[in-house]
């Protein structure tokens, strides 16, 4: 009992991002909230389930599992599985996974069966921090009994494969250190790659630099590159590369330069045109909801002259739409 109360205390007072839409709910009580979930499930009230789950943080959602199992004799995820389906079920499952487990399962699903969802691999592996990538690698092998880099190598090829494997195996600098002289040298190397039309057989300087330098150093490299070439690093990548490799390098550049702008673009891309890439939409909203979704919302409105909530309203419907809007609007009004 003492152990459980200490966990609840930890959840109540842990550090939360000032830019999160979902934060810890100070009124949270695991057994009471588990009972609310069961009551809503028995009544078939999907909206009520969504309201409960989006009114609490991810850490608090994890604390629902044990009291739910003890009182009702079944796993809460299995209970959700019986009542939900489609994109709403994906959203509920995403909310109930820890961020780490969710990333790991997304990566596995992206490489499962025929065909590979390269967009998922690119977004996760090219935008996560060094510590996050390290944890993903360890958890993936523990969960699936095979190294993540081995699965990636079996599903991809060429410099694209080499880049992703390099990121996963921990070659990226995790510090905040910068070095002006090295940044200038690296900018020259990148410029030379473009001038030589990337004829290297052993991978380009782009691979080595973008896969190893920390985001602060990369920003200096990009600035010097623009001074040297008269154009942005993004323009150079768009000109010299194609396909998944181009998308990967652009993701690293954009995530290093302005992560919130990058995710705003990801969200817009998931909804523009015919059809919605719902898995991508759900993933970004859920994974950023306790990190920087407030900033992403601001960036989205500036980029597209339309609020993220309005675009989601126009692209989704029903309880699924309401769940996404609850994540976007957040729980600040009821959590304090």
């Amino acid at each position: 009992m003492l152990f459980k109360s200490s966990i609840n205390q930890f959840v109540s007072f842990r550090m939360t991002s000032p830019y999160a839409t979902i934060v810890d709910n100070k009124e949270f009580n695991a057994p009471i909230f588990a009972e609310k979930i069961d009551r809503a499930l028995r009544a078939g009230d999907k909206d009520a389930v969504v309201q409960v789950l989006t009114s609490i943080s991810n850490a608090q959602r994890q604390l629902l599992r044990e009291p739910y199992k003890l009182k009702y004799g079944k796993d809460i995820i299995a209970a959700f599985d019986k009542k939900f389906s489609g994109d709403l079920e994906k959203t509920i499952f995403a909310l109930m996974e820890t961020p780490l487990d969710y990333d790991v399962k997304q990566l596995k699903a992206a490489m499962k069966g025929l065909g590979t969802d390269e967009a998922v691999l690119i977004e996760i592996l090219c935008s996560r921090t060094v510590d996050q990538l390290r944890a993903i690698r360890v958890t993936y092998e523990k969960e699936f009994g095979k190294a993540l880099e081995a699965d990636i190598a079996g599903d991809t090829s060429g410099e694209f494969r080499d880049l992703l494997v390099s990121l996963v195996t921990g070659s990226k600098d995790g510090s905040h250190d910068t070095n002006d002289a090295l940044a200038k040298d690296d900018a020259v190397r990148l410029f030379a790659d473009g001038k030589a039309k990337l004829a290297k057989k052993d991978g380009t300087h782009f691979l080595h630099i973008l896969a190893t330098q920390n985001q602060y150093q990369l920003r200096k490299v990009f600035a010097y590159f623009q001074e040297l070439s008269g154009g942005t690093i993004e323009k150079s990548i768009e000109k010299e590369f194609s396909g998944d490799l181009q998308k990967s390098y652009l993701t690293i550049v954009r995530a290093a330069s302005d992560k919130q702008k990058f995710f705003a673009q990801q969200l817009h891309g998931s909804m523009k045109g015919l059809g919605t890439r719902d898995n991508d939409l759900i993933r970004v909203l859920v994974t950023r909801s306790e990190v920087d979704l407030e900033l992403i919302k601001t960036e989205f409105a500036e980029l597209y002259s339309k609020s993220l909530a309005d675009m989601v309203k126009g692209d989704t419907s029903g309880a699924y739409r309401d769940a996404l809007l609850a994540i976007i609007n957040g729980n600040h009004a009821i959590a304090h």
Side-chain angles (χ1 to χ4, degrees), residues 100 103-104 107 120-141 148-149 152 163-174 210-211 252 259:
L100 173 58
D103 273 353
V104 166
L107 289 168
V120 173
L121 299 182
I122 292 166
E123 182 193 299
I124 293 175
L125 299 179
C126 297
S127 72
R128 299 303 187 252
T129 67
V130 172
D131 288 342
Q132 286 171 331
L133 287 171
R134 192 177 296 125
I136 286 168
R137 186 187 186 200
V138 170
T139 305
Y140 189 98
E141 186 161 359
L148 174 56
E149 59 267 31
I152 290 169
L163 172 66
L164 297 187
V165 168
S166 181
L167 289 168
V168 166
T169 52
S171 63
K172 188 173 271 292
D173 172 21
L210 295 185
I252 293 172
K259 194 162 277 192

Side-chain angles (χ1 to χ4, degrees), residues 1 5 42 62 79 81 103 105 119 121 127-128 203 208 231-232 239 244 247 276 290 302 307 322:
M1 192 71 178
S5 68
R42 282 188 283 109
Q62 304 314 311
D81 195 25
D103 273 353
K105 288 180 180 178
L121 299 182
S127 72
R128 299 303 187 252
H208 174 70
T232 66
K239 181 182 174 185
D244 294 322
K247 291 173 189 170
T276 303
E290 295 187 36
E302 289 175 4
S307 76
D322 295 340

Side-chain angles (χ1 to χ4, degrees), residues 47 50 54 88 91-92 95 318-328:
D47 288 332
V50 168
T54 55
L88 180 58
T91 308
I92 296 294
L95 288 166
Y320 168 51
R321 174 201 60 213
D322 295 340
L324 297 185
L325 291 174
I327 295 165
I328 292 167

Side-chain angles (χ1 to χ4, degrees), residues 263-273 300 304 308 311:
F263 281 114
Q265 291 169 329
Q266 288 291 97
L267 287 167
H268 188 262
S270 73
M271 293 181 281
K272 73 176 182 181
F300 190 97
Y304 305 110
L308 176 58
M311 191 160 185

Side-chain angles (χ1 to χ4, degrees), residues 15-57:
M15 291 281 288
T16 54
S17 166
Y19 309 114
T21 58
I22 304 286
V23 297
D24 290 334
N25 188 332
K26 290 185 178 177
E27 301 300 317
F28 177 72
N29 177 293
I32 290 173
F33 275 64
E35 188 177 327
K36 286 182 181 179
I37 290 285
D38 186 69
R39 200 158 52 237
L41 286 173
R42 282 188 283 109
D45 190 344
K46 294 177 181 178
D47 288 332
V49 173
V50 168
Q51 285 169 13
V52 173
L53 294 183
T54 55
S55 75
I56 58 179
S57 67

